[in-house]
């Protein structure tokens, strides 16, 4: 089984940038859909970005489109989330998620993912 570990969170000013990493241990993401979700206090977990399971297609939530970029290394052991032009409303705990059997129609909903990291805090504030 794959185990996920996020890193790279922290405090950043509005308009700044941050790069998050999600590292896989015990395997690779080669045959997994991989996604980033975030959750602010008192709010539901929100889809941010994802790779589909059987292609290199990428998908983004409307609130981050044009500002965030999901990518991965050539060995598919690490997935990144480059966050630019950060806003205060981007604040939250960011989670990496993966699943080996999820369908495209369910890619954007957190409840369909079987594997999760512990999360990393991102705070955007002046």
């Amino acid at each position: 089984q794959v185990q996920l570990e996020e890193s790279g969170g922290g405090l950043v000013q509005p308009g700044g940038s941050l790069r998050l990493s999600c590292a896989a241990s015990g395997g690779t993401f080669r045959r997994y859909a991989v996604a980033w979700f975030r959750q602010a206090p008192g709010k539901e977990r929100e889809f941010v970005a994802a790779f589909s399971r059987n292609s290199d297609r990428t998908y983004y939530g409307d609130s981050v489109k044009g500002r965030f970029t999901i990518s991965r290394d050539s060995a598919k052991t690490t997935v990144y989330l480059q966050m630019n032009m950060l806003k205060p409303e981007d604040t939250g705990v960011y989670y990496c998620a993966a699943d080996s059997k999820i369908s495209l129609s369910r890619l954007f909903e957190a409840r369909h993912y079987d594997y999760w990291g512990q999360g990393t805090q991102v705070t955007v504030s002046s």
Side-chain angles (χ1 to χ4, degrees):
Q1 292 185 338
V2 65
Q3 187 167 331
L4 310 178
E5 296 182 8
E6 303 96 336
S7 62
L11 176 64
V12 64
Q13 295 183 4
S17 298
L18 210 58
R19 191 191 195 194
L20 306 183
S21 298
C22 175
S25 61
T28 72
F29 296 121
R30 191 169 303 277
R31 294 186 177 182
Y32 286 76
V34 184
W36 288 96
F37 290 84
R38 67 187 182 188
Q39 189 166 23
K43 303 188 71 175
E44 294 183 352
R45 196 162 295 187
E46 177 189 16
F47 173 78
V48 176
F51 280 109
S52 61
R53 177 164 57 90
N54 293 320
S55 73
D56 291 326
R57 291 280 192 178
T58 58
Y59 303 87
Y60 296 93
D62 290 340
S63 63
V64 306
K65 201 168 297 181
R67 299 187 298 120
F68 290 10
T69 303
I70 188 171
S71 62
R72 58 191 174 192
D73 63 358
S74 59
K76 298 184 179 181
T77 56
T78 305
V79 172
Y80 305 96
L81 184 68
Q82 178 66 46
M83 305 185 294
N84 299 323
M85 302 175 64
L86 284 161
K87 306 174 181 179
E89 51 262 45
D90 294 318
T91 294
V93 178
Y94 282 68
Y95 297 92
C96 180
D99 196 275
S100 63
K101 298 180 180 179
I102 194 169
S103 63
L104 181 60
S105 63
R106 299 178 175 182
L107 195 66
F108 316 106
E109 298 182 359
R111 66 179 183 271
H112 299 302
Y113 286 81
D114 288 334
Y115 302 100
W116 292 86
Q118 292 285 84
T120 184
Q121 176 70 42
V122 173
T123 302
V124 185
S125 177
S126 59

